[in-house]
Amino acid sequence: MRYRKQDQDGDHVFGSSANDFYVDSAEAVAQSVKTRLNLWIGEWFADTSDGTGWNQAVLGKKAGNLYELALRQRVLETQGVLSIEDFESQTDPNIRKLTVTMTINTIYGTYSLDEEINR
């Protein structure tokens, strides 16, 4: 698996040739997970059915933590992910922030993610 690195702002990294990519590593799978979580359904012109169901399952007033099921499913459907070892989420509705912390088991080893999602 080869995946282009992103900087803190989510922009692709260029200019360092092969060093701009994660190759056959847990970081490559983690970058794919982050990218997939941040893609909304209908946002990608080549496949408008792909994406995380933010409007459908995550945002708004949902019963309990049902949004966790949607996020877990999205992560587990990512190429290279074998399982989710640990998953925690916290919401702050006042500033519309969701923090997801998880440890994923990938085909290359384990990786811990800490994602803040502001919507």
Side-chain angles (χ1 to χ4, degrees):
M1 171 182 254
R2 179 178 157 127
Y3 217 89
R4 183 172 290 279
K5 294 178 182 179
Q6 293 180 348
D7 63 17
Q8 280 84 357
D9 297 324
D11 295 323
H12 289 293
V13 176
F14 293 94
S16 297
S17 299
N19 291 328
D20 292 334
F21 295 90
Y22 295 117
V23 180
D24 295 338
S25 65
E27 290 85 359
V29 178
Q31 185 66 62
S32 181
V33 167
K34 291 177 187 180
T35 302
R36 287 173 49 80
L37 285 177
N38 284 303
L39 179 69
W40 289 54
I41 289 177
E43 187 175 24
W44 186 33
F45 71 93
D47 184 357
T48 57
S49 66
D50 190 17
T52 303
W54 289 103
N55 289 328
Q56 297 80 359
V58 180
L59 300 176
K61 295 183 180 185
K62 308 293 183 223
N65 288 343
L66 291 178
Y67 68 88
E68 285 187 10
L69 294 174
L71 296 178
R72 284 176 182 263
Q73 179 180 1
R74 185 79 172 144
V75 171
L76 290 171
E77 291 173 349
T78 303
Q79 180 183 352
V81 173
L82 299 174
S83 63
I84 299 172
E85 300 298 320
D86 186 36
F87 186 96
E88 292 181 33
S89 68
Q90 294 180 336
T91 58
D92 187 340
N94 296 324
I95 59 173
R96 297 178 59 179
K97 181 172 86 172
L98 170 66
T99 303
V100 177
T101 305
M102 70 181 93
T103 302
I104 56 173
N105 185 20
T106 76
I107 59 176
Y108 305 109
T110 59
Y111 192 88
S112 294
L113 285 145
D114 191 21
E115 271 300 291
E116 287 188 0
I117 302 164
N118 295 300
R119 300 290 178 193

